[in-house]
Amino acid sequence: AFLDRWNPSCIRRLYSAPIDGMAGATSSKIDHAPYKSNFEKVREDLGMMMGDTLLLSDTTIVVEGDTDAYALPTALRILNDSGDSDVQSIYQKLIDCSILNGQGSKAHVFSQVANALGAHVIGFLDGDSSGEEMKKRIEESVPSAKIFLMPSGKTIESLVPIHIYCDAVSKVYSEMLDPEEISRLVADGKSLCEIVRGKLAKAGKIGPKDDYKKPGVMQIALEKVKSK
């Protein structure tokens, strides 16, 4: 089996699911986001262990979550298509790397696994408090790891213009956000994701302690960027 993890939006998983109220009956369904949790469901279907995905390349890029695992290769591919020679050079170097979802606080553990299997580890982390903390953990666990920390206060979502990101949020949640207001809040040092989460919770679109569908929003946003 071959997964083009640098084009995650093109990957689909077809699986059988039981039909409610019909004992023994199943129907075919399509998973439109099989990249979540390091393609966990795909690996289960194929009988693959975690190490099997890490051994596919000499270098493993560890990111913090599903959004980063989807958005990093997609964003770099879009930039690569723009024709910038510097970006194209970086893209060609990274195209053979594995991208591994560190699942938040477990990023240092996945880094250790990758390192134990002989891979060179690169950390791509958000420029917030969680990214700073994860940087320390990875460096303690794998001293040879190279860490790229985004600028202070920035996350992977910062790669997308705010008005496009707000439009993507509205498409997923049918809730209009004011790009100018959010731009002002971001300029004041507030996190874009926390602002959006707060707005959606206040509108009753998500629970007060729930997070919103960041990968889905980012997918729509990046496709919008690509079409421009």
Side-chain angles (χ1 to χ4, degrees):
F2 174 75
L3 296 176
D4 185 357
R5 288 166 299 174
W6 284 82
N7 288 281
S9 62
C10 298
I11 300 173
R12 298 292 184 272
R13 168 178 166 260
L14 184 66
Y15 65 100
S16 295
I19 300 175
D20 292 338
M22 298 178 65
T26 61
S27 64
S28 295
K29 294 186 178 295
I30 298 175
D31 180 358
H32 292 278
Y35 53 82
K36 290 185 175 181
S37 300
N38 300 313
F39 293 95
E40 180 179 8
K41 294 299 182 182
V42 176
R43 287 189 288 106
E44 286 180 359
D45 292 345
L46 297 175
M48 296 174 68
M49 302 295 290
M50 175 59 72
D52 297 322
T53 64
L54 296 173
L55 290 171
L56 295 178
S57 65
D58 293 330
T59 301
T60 295
I61 302 175
V62 179
V63 297
E64 291 187 65
D66 283 327
T67 305
D68 308 82
Y70 168 80
L72 178 60
T74 304
L76 284 174
R77 192 175 73 252
I78 291 172
L79 291 171
N80 178 66
D81 292 343
S82 71
D84 186 302
S85 59
D86 290 335
V87 173
Q88 289 177 336
S89 176
I90 295 172
Y91 184 79
Q92 291 304 316
K93 291 178 181 177
L94 295 180
I95 194 69
D96 293 326
C97 297
S98 295
I99 293 184
L100 182 62
N101 174 5
Q103 299 179 18
S105 61
K106 299 178 183 177
H108 64 298
V109 177
F110 285 105
S111 297
Q112 284 181 300
V113 174
N115 182 65
L117 290 169
H120 299 291
V121 176
I122 299 175
F124 184 90
L125 308 171
D126 292 337
D128 54 15
S129 58
S130 66
E132 290 280 1
E133 177 61 27
M134 195 48 55
K135 178 178 182 291
K136 293 178 183 178
R137 292 188 183 184
I138 293 176
E139 288 176 337
E140 289 173 358
S141 303
V142 185
S144 62
K146 306 297 183 184
I147 307 297
F148 176 80
L149 197 67
M150 293 195 70
S152 179
K154 300 295 185 181
T155 64
I156 195 75
E157 288 80 8
S158 304
L159 295 174
V160 176
I162 287 178
H163 70 281
I164 291 179
Y165 194 80
C166 289
D167 184 58
V169 172
S170 70
K171 283 181 168 59
V172 175
Y173 286 99
S174 300
E175 178 67 21
M176 297 299 296
L177 301 178
D178 183 354
E180 292 186 2
E181 177 192 2
I182 291 180
S183 294
R184 288 194 297 270
L185 292 172
V186 170
D188 288 338
K190 294 182 172 61
S191 162
L192 172 61
C193 293
E194 283 303 307
I195 296 168
V196 171
R197 193 192 68 77
K199 294 283 186 184
L200 292 174
K202 186 176 181 180
K205 299 295 183 178
I206 60 174
K209 295 184 179 180
D210 295 336
D211 205 349
Y212 64 100
K213 301 174 182 177
K214 292 178 185 175
V217 170
M218 197 63 169
Q219 181 173 349
I220 292 173
L222 286 171
E223 289 302 321
K224 184 73 172 178
V225 171
K226 185 178 179 180
S227 67
K228 287 187 173 296

